[in-house]
Amino acid sequence: MIPYPARRAASALTIVLAFSLPACRDDAGPAPDKRADSVPAPTGAAPAAKPEAPAPGRTASPKTTPAPTAAKAEPTASAAAPPPAAPPDPAFDCDPLLTPADVKEACGIEVTAPPEQSPDDIGESRTCSRRWSSKEAGSLSMLVLRHGNANEAKERFTSIGSDISAMPDFKAVTGLGDMARRYAKKGASGDPIYTIEIVKGRFDVLLFNPKVTLGATTVGPVCDLDKLEKLAAKVVGRIP
């Protein structure tokens, strides 16, 4: 017979085991398999990085690689160097082109230059003008214009040709410079201004004088159109 204290200890052990051990049932199913992603990574291996989800309301755009830019061409020595500057035009003295003695010889009229006349030669303004006058025949004027080149002078001459060809007494003059024409232009008072225009090289020359009628009195011209041609021949021969 087991003593009472020993039996009491055995009963207590039986109660403890009954609560601590799981119950064994014949109808219990197998334990569920563990998921592959719950298996811990081997020791020493870095965990796989998970893709970052885009922020709400935004869609992830694919990254684009910029196209390569073409290399800038290095300027050549000839392109970098500026063209040489053109030499300045030399001064041109207008006084020798036409003198009072020339007018006397070609037109038979003595003329003088007014004291207020400008003595300036062709410079930066590219033009010069001279005027002579007589008491009985009025005035005679000369205008000289120097263009950049001969083509410019011809283009200016021909650009207004259609308007001038409709003027009274128009005539194309041959054998005088590169181009020449003569005509009678109507002045502000309605009186004719006898004019001849010549192009030689870069120069455009106009010689002109009016015929003014005041009542029964007529003043001028110093040179009519035929005499202007003779005068123009002298001027053309002195243009370089």
Side-chain angles (χ1 to χ4, degrees):
M1 186 176 181
I2 302 172
Y4 178 77
R7 282 190 287 117
R8 189 176 179 181
S11 298
L13 178 60
T14 301
I15 295 172
V16 171
L17 291 175
F19 282 96
S20 62
L21 292 178
C24 295
R25 297 179 56 187
D26 294 338
D27 57 352
D33 294 336
K34 296 183 179 180
R35 297 180 57 88
D37 55 359
S38 64
V39 177
T43 305
K50 293 184 179 180
E52 183 179 354
R58 297 176 56 187
T59 57
S61 57
K63 295 184 178 180
T64 57
T65 304
T69 56
K72 294 183 179 180
E74 292 294 333
T76 60
S78 58
D89 288 328
F92 186 80
D93 188 0
C94 287
D95 285 336
L97 294 182
L98 189 61
T99 65
D102 296 327
V103 179
K104 174 67 174 178
E105 182 182 350
C107 304
I109 301 292
E110 291 186 359
V111 294
T112 58
E116 71 275 8
Q117 179 164 256
S118 173
D120 293 340
D121 298 327
I122 291 182
E124 294 181 358
S125 64
R126 304 171 73 101
T127 62
C128 70
S129 61
R130 294 292 185 270
R131 183 167 63 90
W132 302 266
S133 61
S134 69
K135 293 181 180 180
E136 67 274 13
S139 63
L140 171 70
S141 300
M142 177 182 69
L143 174 65
V144 182
L145 172 63
R146 179 170 60 189
H147 294 271
N149 51 58
N151 288 335
E152 288 184 10
K154 292 178 180 178
E155 288 175 2
R156 185 265 173 195
F157 186 90
T158 57
S159 66
I160 58 175
S162 59
D163 296 334
I164 291 178
S165 62
M167 293 182 181
D169 298 321
F170 173 83
K171 177 184 176 182
V173 181
T174 59
L176 191 60
D178 301 326
M179 296 176 168
R181 58 194 173 199
R182 70 185 211 182
Y183 49 91
K185 180 180 180 180
K186 184 181 291 187
S189 62
D191 295 315
I193 302 175
Y194 298 106
T195 307
I196 187 165
E197 182 178 4
I198 316 102
V199 170
K200 180 182 179 182
R202 301 169 58 187
F203 293 91
D204 190 353
V205 181
L206 282 88
L207 295 171
F208 53 95
N209 55 182
K211 177 183 178 181
V212 180
T213 301
L214 299 174
T217 304
T218 298
V219 178
V222 175
C223 303
D224 59 23
L225 288 173
D226 290 334
K227 293 175 181 177
L228 278 179
E229 277 195 43
K230 296 179 181 179
L231 206 58
K234 294 180 179 291
V235 175
V236 170
R238 295 165 184 166
I239 292 178

